[in-house]
Amino acid sequence: MIVCPYCGLTLRPRKRQDGFMYCPTGRMRRDSPCSEVRIRKDVAEQTLVELVRTQAQLLVKAEQMLKEKKSKPKKSRDVGSMRAEIRRLELSAAAAELEVQELVEDDSQRKYGEVFGIKEYLHLERFDKTVMASLIESAKVMGEDRLEVTWKHQDVYEKILGEMQG
């Protein structure tokens, strides 16, 4: 999952034991920008561990904020008052709209539930390839000490963190 930002190939450890990973394209084509891509394996792995822990911490905070937000009374009409209005007006279209809204909310909670599974890695100590593969789409090496991570649930993370702020 640790990849070259230019060609997208997975970095490989060097044959000599200097601890660096490199892009295989750069080894075959010295004129390629891939030839400059390298990172110490221990630095890459420790950085990914720290990023997973940080992401887990953010989602713990987000979950707490979302729970607090949900427990506060809504300023606009809540579901109970909407149901009362539907009964009063006996509009079948409004009733159907309310049911769809509840289904959408349940579906988003299910998706969030899957994403919040990262919390179990809040205290991750060492690099675990299986854990990383389940959470990270790719980690592009942007320098000897810099990675650009794409999370598997990036869109859901962004939505959750957006709800936290909004």
Side-chain angles (χ1 to χ4, degrees):
M1 92 193 59
I2 301 171
V3 299
C4 174
Y6 302 108
C7 70
L9 288 179
T10 302
L11 270 58
R12 309 270 191 265
R14 290 188 191 228
K15 290 189 188 214
R16 57 182 186 216
Q17 299 299 322
D18 64 358
F20 279 91
M21 298 172 72
Y22 68 93
C23 176
T25 301
R27 298 279 295 202
M28 294 190 287
R29 303 172 87 205
R30 296 280 183 201
D31 60 335
S32 166
C34 300
S35 64
E36 300 298 318
V37 176
R38 70 182 202 142
I39 191 166
R40 289 186 54 89
K41 183 178 180 186
D42 60 339
V43 169
E45 290 178 353
Q46 187 56 38
T47 300
L48 291 175
V49 167
E50 289 172 15
L51 287 172
V52 166
R53 286 195 312 240
T54 301
Q55 191 77 346
Q57 290 168 354
L58 278 172
L59 287 171
V60 166
K61 287 180 186 176
E63 185 178 43
Q64 290 169 345
M65 290 178 77
L66 290 172
K67 283 179 182 176
E68 288 172 9
K69 188 176 178 181
K70 192 173 185 174
S71 68
K72 290 180 183 176
K74 295 181 180 177
K75 293 179 184 173
S76 63
R77 298 180 302 186
D78 62 8
V79 174
S81 65
M82 288 176 72
R83 285 188 177 141
E85 183 179 335
I86 290 168
R87 274 186 246 113
R88 191 174 62 248
L89 299 174
E90 297 181 359
L91 295 174
S92 61
E97 185 178 328
L98 179 62
E99 289 174 12
V100 167
Q101 181 181 353
E102 287 175 343
L103 286 173
V104 167
E105 287 175 4
D106 288 345
D107 184 53
S108 70
Q109 290 304 319
R110 235 185 338 274
K111 285 181 185 174
Y112 285 5
E114 292 172 15
V115 169
F116 282 115
I118 194 173
K119 292 187 310 183
E120 74 181 88
Y121 304 115
L122 194 57
H123 302 290
L124 185 67
E125 298 269 335
R126 345 185 180 120
F127 184 83
D128 181 321
K129 194 171 186 173
T130 306
V131 169
M132 297 302 163
S134 71
L135 300 171
I136 297 173
E137 187 71 37
S138 69
K140 293 180 184 172
V141 176
M142 305 307 286
E144 284 192 31
D145 60 351
R146 193 169 146 245
L147 295 171
E148 183 179 291
V149 173
T150 302
W151 300 93
K152 287 205 171 171
H153 299 288
Q154 184 92 27
D155 56 335
V156 181
Y157 289 147
E158 288 172 0
K159 185 175 180 184
I160 290 169
L161 297 174
E163 285 183 24
M164 225 174 84
Q165 295 171 351

